[in-house]
Amino acid sequence: MAFQIFTYILHKDGVVDDTAAEMAAAAAKLDPAASVTAIVVGSKTDPVCSSLTASFKEVWKIDNDALAYPNSEVIRGLLANVIPKGSIVLIAHDHFGMDLSPGLSVKLDGAYLPDAVGFEGIEGGKLKAVRQEYSGQVSTHVLCDISGGAVITIRPGSFTALAAGSAGGSVVDKTGDALTSGMPGGKRRFVEVIEAEVGDVDITKSEVLVSIGRGIGEQENIEIVNELAKAMGGDVSCSRPIIDAKWLEKSRQVGTSGKTVKPKVYMALGISGSFQHLGGIKGSPFMVAVNKNPKAPIFQVADIGVVEDLIEFVPMLTEKINEMK
Amino acid sequence: MDILVCVKRVPDTAENEISVNGSGTDIERDDLVYSVNEWDNYAVEEAIQIRDKVGGSVTVISVGDSESEEVLRREMAMGADKGILISDGAFEGSDGKGLAVILKTAIEKDKYDLIFTGAQADDGAGQVGGMLAAMLDLPYASLVNFIEVSDDKKIKIGREIAGGQQEIDEIDLPCVLSIQTGINEPRYVGIRGIRKVASVEIPVLGASDLGIDQGLVGSAAAKVSRVDYFMPALGKGAEILEGSIEEKADKLIELLKSKGGIK
Ligand SMILES: Cc1cc2nc3c(=O)[nH]c(=O)nc-3n(C[C@H](O)[C@H](O)[C@H](O)COP(=O)(O)OP(=O)(O)OC[C@H]3O[C@@H](n4cnc5c(N)ncnc54)[C@H](O)[C@@H]3O)c2cc1C
Ligand SMILES: Nc1ncnc2c1ncn2[C@@H]1O[C@H](COP(=O)(O)O)[C@@H](O)[C@H]1O
């Protein structure tokens, strides 16, 4: 039996997000025979819907002025009104998907499989999927019983996007069905979006980034990294724990909830390599990782690895660079 | 404001290298250092700060074995008023939903204005808070990095969204919030603080105390189950520099020069 799969489409300013094509790929991997429907929720979504008809046989549209900002409390209620129980729903695992999905799985009475990075077939009605735990230090296979439906969030970047085909799909307006009992989710009301702070340096423009993570240990140690950045002619950026500790300005955070950077060279010092951090590094820079743990996930994505204590290694590197100059 | 915070005892990844055991059935647990899930610690700090400002109480609750008691005690040393441990062999093998059912049943025994979870725990799921809210039919917001208590019917919150932006919402009480790191600076807990709460009684509740429907929890009810653990494939993997620390530095400088990393 083929599954009925829905994929929730992220879009902004009339443009479909990159994750849509990744969700299509994930759906095809899950069940090549499945019929896959894209769901678009928002306001003035016609351009978004029509651009999706090349990739999806069916595009469901839920369109209303009050849906201009995606409030997941509202959207969860709408989806629960239209998605039949027993369906499989794929959603990107980002700040919106994390907000929407666990509760949606309760409403649809299906299984919940969070942050899948791969699918390895179906065994006896159960989907075999790959996940990561302990910030990517170990992977696991999980079995998810999808026979009664499931909500599955997919890690952005983990499935190779399907090229848009010529599906010749059609758009179905589901707004009426979704809103049968009025606008749901009134207990959480969107107020505004506050833009990111502007800092003293714009790391999105830096060609060389010397980036520090929790492995720096103490605030005083940041000085040795400032020295290295000076010697290399680069700027200092960081992972999230450094911002949480308020050791550097928020504008220096690299990652999905920080800045997206595209340097030529990226030095990751004492950074483990979580997907939220790596998600902020684009353009395949030459990446050097210095980490005292040889099993740190960062070594899987870096070009060059140095297994050392950065507190010893960094000052030595700086000194040698300065001598050379 | 009566606040409940869900806390989990997890291996401390900042202190440990996590590896898979010989048979791939589990991670290597000998010599692991455990602590409270990082996100939960921020949630407890936030709850304490709210209580200190507007009055009320902070209760910490954990589902786990008897060792989870130490985590509850630590959070009480921080300033939580009360701890509840939920422990029963029947809960073993529960998936996220099972866990949410257990917590929901416990929560319904009391009245809370605010329920906090961490944004995620060691397995990176980020599921319990959102499920709990849906089961309790309460409004939910995830990744909360700002809370302003304006009155006793509703509060103002900030959610962390992409690229350093923040979404501001108003949310009615009671509600469930998942707390993101960085929302505050959790206070330090010294050995003296721990000693002060060493003899406080922490009730332990099992399935029958809670009157839980056992068909909804444990491994039999779980729709998601782990098969095995493995080390992630190495991709293309980094070229690891060999030699003495000095030699590594020399090699790295040559590479950096050729890639434009030294200006
Ligand atoms: C919704 C969400 C959004 C997020 N957004 C971001 C984001 O935008 N950016 C981001 O960075 N994170 C983000 N995170 C957090 C992310 O999940 C990780 O927790 C974080 O990236 C870990 O930072 P880290 O690598 O510095 O610390 P850790 O994971 O603790 O790693 C520290 C590393 O340092 C090494 N080390 C320790 N001491 C030394 C030493 N002396 N010498 C050398 N190496 C040493 C250790 O072996 C370890 O590998 C987000 C999380 C969530 C839930
Ligand atoms: N065993 C547990 N006991 C109490 N709270 C838990 C437990 N597991 C998860 N939680 C809560 O749910 C949050 C998210 O965890 P998870 O959904 O497992 O990623 C944690 O930060 C805790 O607040």
Side-chain angles (χ1 to χ4, degrees):
Chain A
M1 190 199 78
F3 290 101
Q4 172 65 57
I5 302 183
F6 291 91
T7 72
Y8 186 88
I9 304 294
L10 298 175
H11 57 94
K12 208 176 171 199
D13 305 326
V15 180
V16 175
D17 190 71
D18 289 347
T19 50
E22 297 172 15
M23 297 302 116
K29 184 83 197 278
L30 201 165
D31 178 6
S35 76
V36 186
T37 301
I39 301 189
V40 177
V41 183
S43 150
K44 305 190 177 55
T45 55
D46 285 337
V48 170
C49 291
S50 57
S51 72
L52 288 163
T53 53
S55 313
F56 296 90
K57 272 251 164 293
E58 201 162 282
V59 179
W60 283 11
K61 161 175 114 167
I62 301 173
D63 195 304
N64 186 287
D65 285 347
L67 298 171
Y69 186 85
N71 175 344
S72 65
E73 285 287 289
V74 174
I75 294 173
R76 192 181 306 116
L78 298 173
L79 295 180
N81 286 342
V82 296
I83 297 179
K85 288 201 172 157
S87 312
I88 293 174
V89 188
L90 303 182
I91 303 170
H93 189 82
D94 73 343
H95 64 86
F96 174 77
M98 290 178 82
D99 210 41
L100 171 73
S101 311
L104 183 64
S105 78
V106 171
K107 297 239 183 239
L108 294 176
D109 208 15
Y112 183 57
L113 175 58
D115 194 22
V117 300
F119 292 149
E120 292 187 357
I122 291 172
E123 294 174 6
K126 291 187 175 172
L127 171 66
K128 191 172 186 189
V130 179
R131 297 191 70 252
Q132 295 187 342
E133 299 192 9
Y134 304 103
S135 350
Q137 291 193 66
V138 295
S139 293
T140 64
H141 288 111
V142 296
L143 283 177
C144 175
D145 181 351
I146 55 175
S147 57
V151 175
I152 303 175
T153 60
I154 308 280
R155 180 178 297 184
S158 51
F159 286 82
T160 310
L162 273 194
S166 47
S170 55
V171 178
V172 183
D173 194 340
K174 287 279 175 179
T175 310
D177 295 346
L179 286 167
T180 38
S181 36
M183 195 60 80
K187 288 183 172 170
R188 175 175 141 199
R189 299 165 294 276
F190 170 70
V191 179
E192 62 176 329
V193 167
I194 299 181
E195 292 303 323
E197 295 163 26
V198 181
D200 52 352
V201 281
D202 183 358
I203 59 168
T204 66
K205 302 227 161 66
S206 306
E207 290 202 338
V208 176
L209 282 174
V210 181
S211 206
I212 53 171
R214 190 167 3 227
I216 192 75
E218 288 173 37
Q219 187 169 15
E220 294 82 75
N221 294 339
I222 295 179
E223 199 39 43
I224 61 171
V225 178
N226 287 335
E227 295 293 325
L228 175 61
K230 205 157 95 196
M232 292 174 65
D235 296 311
V236 175
S237 58
C238 64
S239 68
R240 180 175 183 118
I242 304 298
I243 303 300
D244 290 342
K246 310 222 162 27
W247 291 350
L248 288 176
E249 283 189 342
K250 172 87 181 159
S251 59
R252 291 188 190 247
Q253 180 190 324
V254 173
T256 54
S257 60
K259 292 278 191 292
T260 300
V261 298
K262 358 174 215 337
K264 280 198 187 126
V265 173
Y266 192 83
M267 294 271 281
L269 309 173
I271 292 175
S272 64
S274 71
F275 82 94
Q276 289 107 343
H277 184 75
L278 300 174
I281 307 171
K282 298 287 183 229
S284 323
F286 178 69
M287 195 189 294
V288 179
V290 181
N291 198 301
K292 66 178 184 186
N293 175 6
K295 295 200 198 104
I298 189 86
F299 288 129
Q300 294 171 42
V301 293
D303 297 284
I304 300 295
V306 178
V307 182
E308 287 289 349
D309 185 330
L310 76 93
I311 307 300
E312 270 179 69
F313 185 73
V314 168
M316 171 176 299
L317 188 65
T318 310
E319 203 184 305
K320 283 179 181 283
I321 294 175
N322 286 335
E323 273 169 21
M324 180 193 80
K325 277 190 167 172
Chain B
M1 199 77 52
D2 292 313
I3 311 175
L4 179 79
V5 188
C6 305
V7 300
K8 186 180 180 189
R9 176 178 181 265
V10 300
D12 184 343
T13 49
E15 293 288 324
N16 303 287
E17 293 175 16
I18 308 287
S19 58
V20 178
N21 72 7
S23 51
T25 50
D26 198 0
I27 57 169
E28 202 60 80
R29 294 205 185 255
D30 300 346
D31 310 322
L32 279 188
V33 179
Y34 285 81
S35 58
V36 63
N37 177 36
E38 186 180 359
W39 282 268
D40 302 349
N41 204 42
Y42 283 89
V44 173
E45 175 65 39
E46 194 63 20
I48 292 169
Q49 289 188 15
I50 293 172
R51 178 204 60 196
D52 289 351
K53 217 185 223 157
V54 304
S57 67
V58 176
T59 303
V60 285
I61 190 167
S62 190
V63 182
D65 55 20
S66 58
E67 299 197 80
S68 294
E69 197 191 293
E70 98 197 51
V71 163
L72 291 170
R73 224 172 268 290
R74 187 195 176 280
E75 300 308 287
M76 289 168 73
M78 261 176 99
D81 302 283
K82 193 177 151 197
I84 303 173
L85 176 61
I86 303 197
S87 196
D88 198 312
F91 298 155
E92 240 162 76
S94 295
D95 63 2
K97 263 205 183 139
L99 208 80
V101 168
I102 298 165
L103 285 167
K104 166 188 178 268
T105 317
I107 289 168
E108 283 173 335
K109 298 236 169 285
D110 276 293
K111 239 186 107 282
Y112 300 99
D113 304 293
L114 273 173
I115 296 159
F116 289 171
T117 69
Q120 61 177 36
D122 51 341
D123 51 7
Q127 60 188 351
V128 169
M131 289 178 171
L132 195 55
M135 288 176 186
L136 290 165
D137 207 15
L138 294 179
Y140 173 64
S142 66
L143 302 169
V144 170
N145 63 0
F146 163 80
I147 298 177
E148 185 184 284
V149 177
S150 29
D151 60 62
D152 56 1
K153 294 270 183 314
K154 59 179 193 305
I155 57 174
K156 199 171 148 189
I157 54 158
R159 288 188 65 233
E160 179 181 273
I161 55 175
Q165 293 181 320
Q166 190 182 37
E167 169 189 318
I168 304 292
D169 295 323
E170 203 176 71
I171 189 166
D172 292 344
L173 298 176
C175 65
V176 180
L177 305 178
S178 95
I179 304 295
Q180 176 63 303
T181 59
I183 186 172
N184 53 40
E185 291 172 77
R187 68 199 66 191
Y188 175 75
V189 182
I191 192 82
R192 278 179 61 204
I194 305 257
R195 250 188 241 136
K196 252 168 70 186
V197 296
S199 56
V200 179
E201 191 80 27
I202 295 182
V204 185
L205 304 177
S208 56
D209 304 307
L210 294 173
I212 244 170
D213 179 348
Q214 297 213 17
L216 296 174
V217 299
S219 52
K223 288 193 168 173
V224 180
S225 58
R226 211 183 268 115
V227 187
D228 62 5
Y229 285 90
F230 61 99
M231 292 310 279
L234 267 159
K236 81 172 161 36
E239 176 196 342
I240 303 290
L241 300 183
E242 304 290 347
S244 69
I245 183 166
E246 300 231 346
E247 287 164 347
K248 290 179 192 171
D250 290 332
K251 282 183 199 167
L252 184 56
I253 288 174
E254 286 314 309
L255 287 162
L256 285 172
K257 272 202 297 199
S258 71
K259 299 285 178 189
I262 299 175
K263 292 202 223 161

